[in-house]
Amino acid sequence: NIGARHRTRARASRSVAMTKKVVLVTGGSGLVGSAIREVIAGERPENEEWIFASSKDADLCDPASTAAMFEKYKPTHVIHLAAQVGGLFANMKYKVEFWRNNIAMNDNIFQECHKRGVEKLVSCLSTCIFPDKTTFPIDETMIHDGPPHFSNEGYAYAKRMVDVQNRMYKAQHGCNFTAVIPTNIFGKHDNFHLDNSHVIPGLIHRGYLCKQKGEPFTIWGSGTPLRQFIYSNDLARLMIWTMREYQEADPIILSVGEEDEISIADVARSVAKALDFQGEVNFDTTKADGQFKKTANNAKLRKYLPDFKFTPFDEAMASTVKWFMENYETPGAVRK
């Protein structure tokens, strides 16, 4: 019966359409969004359509602009990466802007996801939201145990509220909203601005210029603070897993293990090696160091994914520096 076969095919195609995920990534052109795009391009999942939105698509601080973007793309799943971010010195200088803009963005995203019945929202937090005075290693249960470091309190308190919102929206509306807490992220497509960047892209850019000019490579601070760094492509793979598989409202730390903590001095040496910098490397101890350490416990991640393989640090650094040098002279390719 041709008619019956046609109806069966129509039902099957409708069923595929209905089960297809539409995943909207805010901040899709940034460091993590670009890494997710690269991983998805390699996977080519059949039952998922991925949309990578940037600030050109919507002003997420504006409710109407945010609503229009959701109306246009009609996502079933959202990975919320968009944020006002910066390094230590930017955070100290613009606390009010970091607070207001991040609170506005997050509230608009949560409201749209709730109103439109989005099946899953994954937001991105940071280890800098944890209490300044705490015991180490820190874990997911300790976020609200004391005030964050004074240097970034605007950003940290705004991001802490995401964890509160996840639990409130689940309790009141049954929403499946959660958050990941990566440690320090680095990789291709980072912000390499000399003043308003995080430590690794700032070091890469400064080291590159020092090599060009034949000057000593001067590192801000003593070089003694310890950090866990996660390569953006590793984080991308873990965030995609979170979106598909992780069902808790409580956040999950996405990080290399405690044994992979590295000093800023060793990071600088890795940068110099990747740049093939042969000059003098020294430290300007008149500059602030920030927190000495904020070791994170990745036991929860390892409970779920005991066999996940992280990219070795020097390999990830070499890949990042190679991308930076290849794209440095291309207009608009490197944020600098």
Side-chain angles (χ1 to χ4, degrees):
N1 185 316
I2 294 170
R5 281 205 302 273
H6 178 75
R7 282 196 299 276
T8 304
R9 275 204 307 273
R11 274 201 303 272
S13 66
R14 265 204 310 275
S15 158
V16 169
M18 285 167 66
T19 57
K20 188 170 190 176
K21 295 173 182 167
V22 179
V23 188
L24 173 65
V25 182
T26 71
S29 62
L31 169 62
V32 182
S34 298
I36 292 174
R37 184 195 292 265
E38 189 175 313
V39 172
I40 290 297
E43 279 191 13
R44 299 169 69 181
E46 286 184 10
N47 67 333
E48 294 171 357
E49 178 189 350
W50 286 74
I51 296 151
F52 296 87
S54 71
S55 53
K56 296 185 187 78
D57 291 273
D59 173 6
L60 297 182
C61 291
D62 176 57
S65 181
T66 308
M69 181 180 70
F70 271 74
E71 182 60 33
K72 179 180 178 182
Y73 295 121
K74 297 181 169 56
T76 61
H77 294 65
V78 175
I79 295 180
H80 177 38
L81 304 174
Q84 180 171 346
V85 297
L88 174 67
F89 301 98
N91 268 285
M92 290 173 75
K93 192 173 177 183
Y94 301 111
K95 289 183 181 184
V96 173
E97 286 81 0
F98 276 94
W99 161 262
R100 293 192 68 211
N101 294 337
N102 285 304
I103 283 288
M105 275 187 245
N106 296 339
D107 187 54
N108 290 334
I109 291 290
F110 270 83
Q111 272 296 290
E112 288 304 317
C113 287
H114 163 52
K115 283 192 306 195
R116 295 168 189 273
V118 165
E119 293 171 35
K120 184 77 166 279
L121 166 63
V122 180
S123 299
C124 194
L125 307 183
S126 162
T127 49
C128 72
I129 73 174
F130 280 91
D132 178 35
K133 294 182 170 52
T134 187
T135 54
F136 293 99
I138 49 183
D139 66 40
E140 294 87 351
T141 66
M142 300 161 69
I143 293 172
H144 305 284
D145 286 356
H149 194 261
F150 75 93
S151 65
N152 70 327
E153 59 187 349
Y155 176 83
Y157 277 119
K159 285 293 192 178
R160 281 187 186 189
M161 290 305 103
V162 169
D163 176 50
V164 175
Q165 285 169 292
N166 284 332
R167 286 185 277 109
M168 292 194 302
Y169 273 85
K170 181 161 191 170
Q172 188 170 335
H173 300 297
C175 298
N176 192 6
F177 297 169
T178 192
V180 299
I181 310 173
T183 42
N184 300 269
I185 315 159
F186 73 102
K188 297 172 277 189
H189 303 279
D190 206 342
N191 168 21
F192 291 87
H193 193 279
L194 287 169
D195 297 320
N196 295 330
S197 64
H198 287 108
V199 60
I200 286 181
L203 287 172
I204 290 170
H205 195 170
R206 281 207 301 282
Y208 175 81
L209 294 178
C210 290
K211 182 182 176 183
Q212 301 297 102
K213 297 172 185 172
E215 295 174 354
F217 184 17
T218 301
I219 318 305
W220 290 1
S222 67
T224 54
L226 299 169
R227 293 291 183 268
Q228 288 153 299
F229 291 96
I230 183 167
Y231 182 43
S232 55
N233 282 42
D234 292 343
L235 177 59
R237 291 188 291 143
L238 289 170
M239 288 200 73
I240 294 163
W241 168 81
T242 304
M243 190 272 294
R244 292 173 180 157
E245 307 291 343
Y246 181 73
Q247 297 302 322
E248 298 182 39
D250 289 331
I252 183 166
I253 289 171
L254 302 182
S255 173
V256 298
E258 296 170 54
E259 66 279 3
D260 293 313
E261 209 165 33
I262 183 171
S263 74
I264 300 302
D266 283 339
V267 171
R269 292 183 192 104
S270 182
V271 169
K273 179 182 166 189
L275 286 166
D276 193 27
F277 179 85
Q278 304 293 334
E280 180 188 344
V281 178
N282 53 41
F283 296 87
D284 179 0
T285 54
T286 65
K287 296 278 196 260
D289 269 339
Q291 284 171 277
F292 172 64
K293 65 183 291 179
K294 42 185 179 183
T295 316
N297 183 340
N298 73 346
K300 187 175 187 177
L301 171 64
R302 283 306 187 194
K303 184 186 81 177
Y304 279 103
L305 296 174
D307 300 320
F308 184 86
K309 297 281 190 297
F310 288 94
T311 307
F313 183 78
D314 283 342
E315 184 184 314
M317 179 64 75
S319 172
T320 304
V321 168
K322 181 173 183 284
W323 178 88
F324 175 82
M325 292 194 295
E326 285 174 353
N327 290 277
Y328 189 80
E329 300 296 342
T330 307
V334 177
R335 286 186 289 161
K336 60 183 194 285

